Amino acid sequence: MRKEVPLLMNKAGKPLRTYIIAIILTMALIFGILMGTISLLVSRHYSRKQSEQSHGVTTNMLRIQYIDFFKRKEQELNTIGQRLASTEYLANILNRSYDTFPHYKHLFLLDIKGNTLDCCVGINLPTSFLEKISGNEKHMMISDVFEHKGELLIGLSYAVPTRDYHIVATMSLDYMNKNLEVSRVYSGESGYPFLLDSKGNLVVHSNKDNLGNNILDLVKDNQDNSLDFDAFTGASYKLINYLSFDEPRLVGLGEVEPYGWIAGFSQKEREVYAPFFALLHTLLPVFFVLMLLSVAIAIYISNKFLGPIEHISQRVRDMLNKNELTPIYLEYAPEEIVLLKDGINKLVQDVADNSLNAVESLILTIEARDHATRGHSQRVALLAEKVAQKLDISPEEKEILRTAAILHDIGKLAVPDKILQKPASLTFEEYNIIKKHPKWGREILIPMNYLKREIEIVFQHHERPDGLGYPQGLTKEEIDPLAGTISAVDALEAMTADRPYRKGRSIEAALADLKEGRGKQFDPQIVDVLLALGEEGELNFLRDLKNLA
């Protein structure tokens, strides 16, 4: 009798099913590891990006304020120079200037050969500074740090108009650290600003013991090798890593033009990447649960898993390559993929929120400097939201409008306190400085490149339909409609608010002014909406807030 050979498939296909499940589980494991790696890479990337944007905003602010500080010193020396140019009594003018500008340690005059004039007593200056002075007739020159009688100083020089000599003044580093408000700017527990001269000597630093020391003596690269000063120069803004006392730090750097100095902001790397480690601890148990669930639903995952994963992977690549903070949307996905997508979206939203929170904190800093405008940005944002409810715009545009309204005056960070807090009307020159705040606002926000439209709205919020606005003189067709909204509600809030030099106007009078400027100074559609809100009583909160003040 012939022996029958048993058919393998008579066993209900168990070997094949086991093989399929093993493949699916292997794929699930691979995808789990892949998504975990992608999530962690995204977290680390955006932790650095958030820090880079924050460092960029802070470094730009520091650079602007350092430049403003030196411009004020240049104006002081120009004032002394004007006095010297109109008299022969040079010694008397210099002696009186000590009373006017007591922060100068020394004031004396040098001829074009670098010799001190007989009318005054000078000090020994660095040779490199004397060479700069002899070839300069256009703007103030600044020396690198030098020591005189045990004190660290910097020298300033300015050519006296119509005369063949220069004013030379010296300031102590202690004075600069006490009078530059930026020396009190910190971020987190370890962030602090600093200022380097053209040779790398520390001029401003939170630790006074480091003043005058060369930065290259205090830091090394990440391989514990000496750094070259070229690493700190050569770009209007750059981000570098180095070791300071064996502690890795992330540092933003910007050139203080035209003086050749470097503004910097330093923070410990472990603080920069804190969100990355927090996400790591959060994701580990999540992925453990996902792997357990994959055993029970392996077949189902094999049919439904690949599409959503490919979509998420593509969106992550887009975010990394295009540097855009946009959420991930899925029409359908298993619960596990939705959790993963939500985790990445939450990370992206947290990065955006943290950056905006940092900038909104800067807005509060502006308003803290000027009590008269406290709450102005929030009231403008509330007015903008009321107008947006009447306009046919998308939810995304409403959010853009609200964000731009909060940020519209951030450029005032660069406006000197004496102008911002002046209790009287501004002079022509002071008003021209104020008019620069939209441009300064765009410069401060540029590192936050995912706010592209908001940045342009901040830049345009003082433009007019008739082309008489600033800073570009755009006409109605060229102005972003949302910038026109900010312009009108900003003017309405300003007119109804009290100022030290005038009382706020009534809502009715302010609306009348808006109506008069309809189509010329203000977008006619926005004026019509505000007039309608006034008739409906929706603007009465401005009067209520004023009565509470």
Side-chain angles (χ1 to χ4, degrees):
M1 177 180 284
R2 187 180 60 169
K3 185 177 180 181
E4 292 186 3
V5 179
L7 297 175
L8 293 176
M9 295 304 297
N10 286 346
K11 297 195 179 225
K14 286 183 180 179
L16 182 60
R17 182 183 301 125
T18 302
Y19 179 69
I20 292 175
I21 291 175
I23 292 176
I24 293 173
L25 289 179
T26 301
M27 291 176 62
L29 178 62
I30 292 172
F31 279 122
I33 294 173
L34 176 63
M35 292 310 300
T37 303
I38 290 174
S39 299
L40 294 176
L41 287 175
V42 169
S43 171
R44 196 177 194 279
H45 174 78
Y46 280 108
S47 292
R48 184 180 176 92
K49 272 296 176 186
Q50 177 188 356
S51 178
E52 182 174 346
Q53 291 159 358
S54 175
H55 279 55
V57 169
T58 304
T59 303
N60 278 336
M61 181 186 71
L62 292 170
R63 185 174 57 83
I64 290 170
Q65 293 199 24
Y66 285 136
I67 292 172
D68 179 68
F69 174 83
F70 288 122
K71 288 294 183 184
R72 293 199 303 271
K73 300 307 159 191
E74 187 168 347
Q75 291 169 2
E76 292 173 1
L77 293 186
N78 181 53
T79 299
I80 299 174
Q82 295 291 340
R83 295 173 183 171
L84 290 169
S86 62
T87 183
E88 297 299 326
Y89 299 102
L90 305 182
N92 290 339
I93 294 297
L94 290 176
N95 289 333
R96 289 208 303 266
S97 297
Y98 279 113
D99 297 329
T100 307
F101 306 110
H103 46 273
Y104 292 129
K105 290 283 185 176
H106 307 91
L107 282 170
F108 54 96
L109 304 176
L110 295 180
D111 62 21
I112 57 176
K113 294 182 178 180
N115 300 315
T116 304
L117 298 192
D118 294 337
C119 66
C120 46
V121 178
I123 63 171
N124 291 327
L125 297 171
T127 303
S128 59
F129 185 41
L130 292 174
E131 291 173 354
K132 286 183 182 179
I133 293 173
S134 63
N136 170 60
E137 295 180 356
K138 294 183 179 180
H139 55 76
M140 183 178 72
M141 299 301 296
I142 305 175
S143 79
D144 295 318
V145 175
F146 65 95
E147 186 174 346
H148 177 73
K149 293 184 178 180
E151 186 174 20
L152 294 173
L153 306 174
I154 66 165
L156 313 173
S157 78
Y158 192 81
V160 177
T162 71
R163 299 299 179 97
D164 292 330
Y165 51 78
H166 292 73
I167 310 167
V168 176
T170 66
M171 292 187 305
S172 70
L173 299 196
D174 283 341
Y175 165 77
M176 292 188 64
N177 276 264
K178 289 176 182 177
N179 286 270
L180 277 170
E181 293 182 0
V182 294
S183 63
R184 296 190 292 274
V185 175
Y186 293 90
S187 176
E189 296 180 358
S190 66
Y192 59 78
F194 60 87
L195 177 63
L196 305 176
D197 66 18
S198 63
K199 292 184 178 178
N201 300 313
L202 283 162
V203 180
V204 173
H205 196 272
S206 58
N207 185 349
K208 290 186 177 181
D209 293 337
N210 289 334
L211 295 179
N213 290 331
N214 195 284
I215 189 72
L216 301 181
D217 296 331
L218 302 176
V219 302
K220 296 182 179 180
D221 67 15
N222 287 340
Q223 283 72 46
D224 205 30
N225 299 316
S226 297
L227 278 170
D228 190 272
F229 191 56
D230 290 342
F232 293 80
T233 62
S236 58
Y237 174 72
K238 67 192 320 185
L239 200 67
I240 67 171
N241 300 79
Y242 62 52
L243 295 174
S244 177
F245 300 102
D246 298 324
E247 180 73 46
R249 299 188 75 90
L250 190 67
V251 184
L253 301 166
E255 290 193 359
V256 181
E257 298 176 347
Y259 307 111
W261 288 20
I262 305 294
F265 191 80
S266 172
Q267 190 175 15
K268 290 181 179 178
E269 278 194 11
R270 60 181 174 82
E271 190 171 36
V272 170
Y273 294 120
F276 165 75
F277 293 111
L279 181 66
L280 176 62
H281 290 300
T282 302
L283 288 180
L284 286 176
V286 171
F287 284 113
F288 178 74
V289 171
L290 287 177
M291 297 315 301
L292 292 179
L293 290 174
S294 67
V295 175
I297 57 174
I299 304 268
Y300 178 79
I301 290 176
S302 68
N303 296 325
K304 304 294 183 181
F305 195 70
L306 295 178
I309 283 294
E310 288 178 354
H311 179 74
I312 290 175
S313 298
Q314 184 59 48
R315 291 296 300 115
V316 169
R317 281 194 295 271
D318 289 344
M319 284 190 283
L320 292 173
N321 294 331
K322 299 179 182 179
N323 198 23
E324 294 179 350
L325 291 176
T326 54
I328 298 171
Y329 297 101
L330 296 173
E331 292 184 3
Y332 171 80
E335 180 182 0
E336 295 82 0
I337 304 304
V338 172
L339 287 173
L340 188 58
K341 181 265 296 181
D342 289 344
I344 295 175
N345 282 348
K346 185 177 185 303
L347 171 65
V348 171
Q349 189 61 49
D350 286 346
V351 170
D353 289 346
N354 289 340
S355 297
L356 285 175
N357 288 340
V359 176
E360 289 184 18
S361 297
L362 294 177
I363 297 296
L364 295 177
T365 301
I366 298 174
E367 297 182 350
R369 293 166 64 199
D370 184 8
H371 296 289
T373 60
R374 181 168 295 172
H376 166 72
S377 297
Q378 287 73 19
R379 292 191 291 274
V380 169
L382 184 55
L383 281 169
E385 288 177 0
K386 289 182 177 292
V387 170
Q389 291 172 3
K390 297 282 189 178
L391 298 175
D392 185 21
I393 61 176
S394 66
E396 291 78 13
E397 287 190 309
K398 289 179 180 179
E399 181 59 25
I400 289 172
L401 180 62
R402 188 197 74 82
T403 302
I406 290 291
L407 302 178
H408 76 281
D409 272 345
I410 192 172
K412 289 184 179 177
L413 275 170
V415 177
D417 284 345
K418 66 180 181 181
I419 296 177
L420 201 62
Q421 300 173 4
K422 186 174 181 179
S425 299
L426 300 178
T427 65
F428 178 78
E429 292 76 15
E430 290 169 337
Y431 180 62
N432 280 337
I433 292 175
I434 285 287
K435 286 170 66 175
K436 294 179 181 178
H437 80 270
K439 175 177 175 291
W440 289 337
R442 184 170 71 166
E443 290 177 356
I444 289 172
L445 293 173
I446 275 177
M448 304 178 69
N449 51 12
Y450 61 90
L451 296 177
K452 292 179 181 177
R453 190 173 178 189
E454 289 89 337
I455 292 172
E456 285 308 303
I457 293 170
V458 169
F459 187 48
Q460 296 180 11
H461 80 276
H462 277 295
E463 301 289 354
R464 296 169 45 139
D466 59 10
L468 298 179
Y470 59 87
Q472 295 177 287
L474 304 179
T475 57
K476 185 178 187 301
E477 293 73 20
E478 300 170 305
I479 301 171
D480 189 305
L482 299 187
T485 303
I486 299 296
S487 174
V489 299
D490 185 29
L492 176 62
E493 197 287 329
M495 286 189 285
T496 57
D498 290 335
R499 295 289 185 266
Y501 51 88
R502 62 155 174 83
K503 293 291 289 181
R505 307 189 67 188
S506 67
I507 295 174
E508 294 76 14
L511 288 173
D513 279 357
L514 288 179
K515 187 175 181 181
E516 184 177 347
R518 184 181 185 276
K520 295 178 290 185
Q521 183 175 356
F522 305 110
D523 187 315
Q525 181 185 14
I526 305 306
V527 172
D528 292 343
V529 170
L530 288 171
L531 291 173
L533 288 171
E535 291 177 359
E536 295 168 6
E538 290 294 322
L539 304 180
N540 291 340
F541 75 94
L542 293 172
R543 183 185 298 114
D544 296 338
L545 290 174
K546 183 177 177 182
N547 293 335
L548 289 173

